[in-house]
């Protein structure tokens, strides 16, 4: 060998030592374009694939409220079994199309933690021969057959070159947990023409998936191959339809509501799409296929009844014709494999798959049914009220009441949904049409009944308008508003509105509003729990102190009732509360001076006595006065007479004079006499300290006697009180034609008698009767004798010198009777 040849040999050997040191074999790979020409895409298949992509994009975008379901075998190793599964799935997908968008899971590549079968493309014969060209052909053929059935398919993108062979046949793609953090896979996803899902890491970390989405949405420039199989520099625009897939991890499952809320918040903060998909298998099922239905049930619950349901955009299920999994026979005899059973991860069987899909479909149906009906009602409510539209609004509100009664309030999505129509409900509450306003108030009441304490967020929006109805001029509106808020307080308590109600009770300028607020305050004090009331006790006490002296009598009455409830529930604050009350407030609250500081209200008997009729209250006052005399040892005060106390209930003595001066009598001989004061008769034996003597004795106080008419007739002059009409004999004590009038008076023996009969006669030095008449005509009054009033009668004694007044009356009347 020449020297030159030796140098070349050493150079080649050196190159072999530097390049492809660990490459044992290199075989040619069919260009993507040639395979695509051998297995071209048909028009019907292209329509099914495009429809699947568009529907998946709409769901991820939030424009389609259906659930995206990726369901199928963990991996494909038998195309015949895969086609049979596809037939079953297509048939089911047609029946559930209103609620579910189903894409068949068709995975040809399997990432391995260490080593193992890598999938149909890499090893289609399951014998480690790696006939990749054959595997690519099988994969494309299967995808074409599935698309021809009208069923879209989804694949995991493990290799960065294989998508050039099958990318035109799939409607959705996934980046696995082991490759989510890979830069080249993020670049690949940014250039894919289908929506891409990034799984969280195998350790459960979802942040890498969030970062992957942000990266894939951005433009990239990287190395790849063309359809012709040539190496090229590829520039991408970024993929706007990427999402997270929660698959659990080493720390456990992450499909529960708390995890969904956590990751959606992370996505929102990162500024990317917060919607995500949940994998029922892998870490979420703890690699136990029998737990996949449990995960599906949780997802169904979240979809139908929780706030996180609106962020769950899809579900992934590992399913096959036969449950469980199996291993490739070591002897290579593939006939030993169970038809339709996975050779990688274990899957649920077809029957369990249908059960899981039915549950998801039902959950979506409930959620979508409410959403659909609500959108329809929202359209009917979003109109200007008028003669032609108010009945439409009224009907929409009634339909909304029916939905509330149908228990849709249990969904966490209900509150955000109702907030959208709060302004329309408020407008109807304040409508001048009583029917429309009544329907809106009924809706508010029904919401409170169904939601109870969960009504508080809606109360913040609806309470102000309902409160305004409580101050309207029309009493119908006021009554309805009070009844509505009373119902709301009874069921929902609404403690956040306590300050507003208290302020209205003590500071609103409207008398009607204050009266309504005091009634609501009483409901709050009665229904709210102590922890709910405690932060607002100062406001409640201020409202009570103000309401009890309000100019509105209804407000005062209601506030007194509220006060009674308050002091029972918060007895430890009564003394402090009473100390800050004004004297007027204490008066209206009927607090005794001695017990006010101790927080004791006046006795119920005293309070109830104030509500008795006037007659009964007067009698009760007199009974109190008599009781006070008895407390002084039974001795009457100076100037009072002793009245014997009768056994049994005692009637008080009169508190004012019970007599009046008697009428003036003029005799025929010209002399005059003052009739004794006639006692006012009280037909009550108890007042006189005696027992009733007749069955007609009553407990009534007669009206004051009528004054005598101003007439000069003798009958009117001699008129007595209605209870006693004296005769001439009673007036003068004798026959006036024969018996002279005595000037002496006798003190009545009976101390209970009101007074003695007075007499008037001329003195011995005075002329006889004729001269007496003449003197009377000249205006000289005759002198009359007076009698003493017995002690204890309560009557005032006649004033000495009363005859002068009588003479003046005679002078005014004239010379008398002839």
């Amino acid at each position: 060998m020449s020297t030159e040849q030796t140098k070349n040999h050493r150079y080649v050997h050196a190159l072999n030592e530097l390049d492809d040191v660990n490459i044992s074999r290199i075989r040619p790979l069919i260009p993507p374009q040639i395979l695509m020409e051998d297995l071209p895409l048909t028009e019907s298949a292209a329509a099914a694939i495009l429809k699947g992509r568009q529907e998946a994009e709409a769901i991820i975008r939030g424009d389609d409220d259906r659930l995206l379901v990726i369901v199928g075998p963990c991996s494909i190793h038998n195309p015949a079994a895969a086609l049979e599964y596809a037939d079953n799935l297509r048939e089911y997908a047609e029946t559930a199309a209103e609620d579910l968008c189903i894409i068949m899971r068709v995975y040809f590549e399997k990432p391995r933690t260490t080593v193992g079968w890598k999938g149909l493309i890499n090893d289609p014969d399951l014998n480690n021969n790696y006939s990749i060209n054959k595997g690519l052909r099988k994969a494309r053929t299967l995808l074409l057959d599935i698309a021809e059935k009208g069923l879209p398919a989804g694949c995991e993108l493990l290799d960065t070159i294989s998508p050039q062979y099958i990318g035109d046949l799939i409607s959705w793609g996934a980046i696995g947990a082991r490759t989510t953090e890979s830069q080249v896979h993020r670049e690949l996803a940014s250039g894919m023409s289908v929506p891409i899902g990034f799984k969280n890491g195998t350790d459960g970390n979802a942040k890498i998936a969030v970062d992957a989405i942000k990266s894939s949405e951005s433009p990239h420039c990287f190395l790849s191959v063309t359809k012709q199989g040539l190496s090229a520099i590829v520039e991408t625009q970024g993929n706007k339809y990427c999402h997270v897939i929660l698959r659990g991890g080493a720390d456990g499952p992450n499909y529960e509501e708390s995890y969904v809320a956590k990751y959606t918040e992370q996505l929102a903060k990162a500024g990317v799409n917060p919607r995500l998909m949940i994998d029922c298998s892998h870490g979420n099922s703890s690699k136990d296929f029998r737990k996949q239905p449990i995960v599906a049930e949780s997802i169904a619950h979240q979809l139908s009844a929780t706030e996180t349901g609106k962020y769950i955009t899809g579900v992934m299920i590992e399913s096959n014709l036969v449950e469980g999994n199996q291993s490739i026979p070591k002897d290579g005899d593939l006939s030993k494999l169970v038809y339709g059973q996975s050779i990688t991860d274990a899957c649920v069987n077809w029957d369990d798959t249908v059960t899981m899909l039915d549950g998801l479909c039902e959950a979506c149906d409930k959620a979508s049914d409410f959403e659909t009906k609500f959108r329809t009602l929202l359209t009917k409510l979003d109109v200007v009220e008028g003669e032609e539209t108010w009945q439409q609004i009224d009907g929409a509100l009634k339909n909304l009441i029916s939905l509330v009664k149908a228990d849709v309030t249990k969904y966490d999505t209900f509150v955000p949904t109702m907030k959208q129509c709060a302004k329309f409900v408020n407008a109807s509450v304040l409508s001048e049409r009583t029917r429309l306003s009544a329907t809106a108030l009924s809706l508010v009441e029904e919401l409170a009944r169904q939601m109870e304490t969960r009504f508080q967020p809606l109360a913040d929006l609806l309470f102000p308008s309902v409160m305004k109805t409580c101050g309207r001029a029309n009493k119908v509106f006021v009554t309805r508003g009070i009844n509505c808020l009373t119902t709301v307080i009874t069921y929902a308590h609404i403690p956040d509105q306590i300050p507003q109600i208290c302020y209205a009770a003590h500071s609103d300028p409207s008398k009607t509003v204050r009266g309504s607020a005091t009634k609501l305050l009483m409901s709050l004090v009665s229904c709210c729990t102590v922890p709910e009331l405690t932060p607002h006790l100062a406001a409640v006490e201020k409202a009570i102190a103000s309401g009890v002296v309000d100019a509105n009598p209804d407000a005062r009455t209601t506030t007194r009732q509220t006060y009674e409830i308050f002091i029972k529930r918060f007895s430890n604050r009564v003394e402090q509360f009473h100390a800050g009350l004004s004297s007027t407030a204490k008066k209206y609250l009927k607090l005794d001076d001695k017990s006010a500081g101790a927080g004791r209200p006046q006795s119920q008997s005293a309070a109830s006595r104030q509500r008795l009729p006037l007659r009964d209250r007067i009698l009760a006052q007199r009974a109190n006065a008599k009781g006070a005399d008895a407390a002084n040892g039974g001795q009457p005060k100076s100037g009072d007479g002793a009245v014997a106390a009768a056994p049994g209930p005692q009637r008080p003595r009169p508190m004012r004079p019970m007599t009046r001066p008697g009428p003036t009598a003029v005799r025929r001989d010209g002399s005059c006499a003052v009739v004794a004061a006639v006692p006012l008769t009280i037909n009550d034996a108890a007042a006189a300290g005696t027992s009733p003597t007749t069955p007609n004795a009553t407990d009534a106080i007669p009206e004051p006697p009528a004054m005598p008419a101003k007439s000069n007739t003798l009958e009117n002059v001699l008129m007595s009180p209605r209870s006693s009409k004296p005769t001439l004999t009673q007036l003068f004590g004798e026959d006036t034609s024969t018996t002279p009038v005595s000037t002496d008076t006798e003190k009545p023996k009976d101390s209970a008698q009101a007074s003695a009969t007075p007499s008037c006669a001329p003195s011995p030095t005075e002329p006889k009767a004729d001269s007496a008449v003449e003197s009377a005509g000249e205006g000289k009054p005759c002198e009359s004798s007076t009698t003493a009033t017995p002690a204890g009668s309560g009557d005032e004694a006649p004033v000495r010198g009363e005859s002068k007044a009588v003479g003046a009356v005679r002078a005014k009347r004239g010379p008398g009777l002839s």
Side-chain angles (χ1 to χ4, degrees), residues 246 253-262 278 284 298 302 308:
L246 299 181
N254 57 7
Y255 63 85
E256 296 175 342
E257 182 181 353
S258 58
Y259 289 101
V260 175
K262 172 185 175 181
I278 299 178
N284 280 332
S298 174
Q302 292 184 60
T308 58

Side-chain angles (χ1 to χ4, degrees), residues 126-330:
L126 285 69
N127 57 5
N128 296 326
N129 285 336
Y130 301 106
S131 302
I132 296 177
N133 286 323
K134 180 181 178 180
L136 288 171
R137 188 174 294 274
K138 278 190 172 184
R140 186 169 178 84
T141 300
L142 179 60
L143 289 174
L144 280 171
D145 292 341
I146 293 175
E148 288 289 348
K149 297 178 182 294
L151 186 65
C155 297
E156 180 177 357
L157 307 178
L158 182 59
D159 190 277
T160 58
I161 297 177
S162 61
Q164 292 287 44
Y165 294 89
I166 60 174
D168 60 327
L169 301 179
I170 63 175
S171 299
W172 176 89
I175 304 297
R178 297 169 181 84
T179 51
T180 292
E181 204 167 3
S182 168
Q183 178 64 26
V184 294
H185 286 85
R186 295 179 179 182
E187 293 171 346
L188 173 65
S190 71
M192 290 298 296
S193 302
V194 297
I196 299 294
F198 287 92
K199 288 190 176 182
N200 62 260
T202 55
D203 60 350
N205 180 15
K207 186 178 184 303
I208 63 174
V210 177
D211 294 340
I213 292 175
K214 294 186 67 177
S215 175
S216 300
E217 288 181 345
S218 305
H220 286 277
C221 181
F222 56 93
L223 304 178
S224 186
V225 296
T226 65
K227 298 291 185 183
Q228 291 75 27
L230 300 176
S231 298
I233 300 172
V234 180
E235 295 184 9
T236 65
Q237 298 179 355
N239 191 339
K240 305 301 180 183
Y241 298 104
C242 297
H243 60 86
V244 170
I245 304 175
L246 299 181
R247 48 92 69 194
D251 294 336
N254 57 7
Y255 63 85
E256 296 175 342
E257 182 181 353
S258 58
Y259 289 101
V260 175
K262 172 185 175 181
Y263 294 132
T264 54
E265 184 179 356
Q266 287 184 9
L267 290 165
K269 289 182 178 179
V272 297
N273 186 357
R275 295 178 178 85
L276 48 79
M277 180 180 288
I278 299 178
D279 185 357
C280 294
S281 186
H282 300 101
N284 280 332
S285 64
S286 302
K287 296 184 179 181
D288 183 354
F289 71 94
R290 290 177 290 268
K291 293 183 180 180
Q292 285 195 72
I294 299 175
V295 181
E297 289 179 4
S298 174
I299 296 171
H301 172 72
Q302 292 184 60
L303 287 171
S304 62
T306 68
E307 180 67 20
T308 58
K310 64 182 179 182
Y311 297 108
I312 300 176
T313 191
V315 175
M316 183 179 289
I317 301 173
E318 287 192 329
S319 163
N320 215 325
L321 297 176
V322 180
E323 68 178 19
N325 63 343
Q326 60 186 329
S327 300
I328 299 175
K330 293 182 180 180

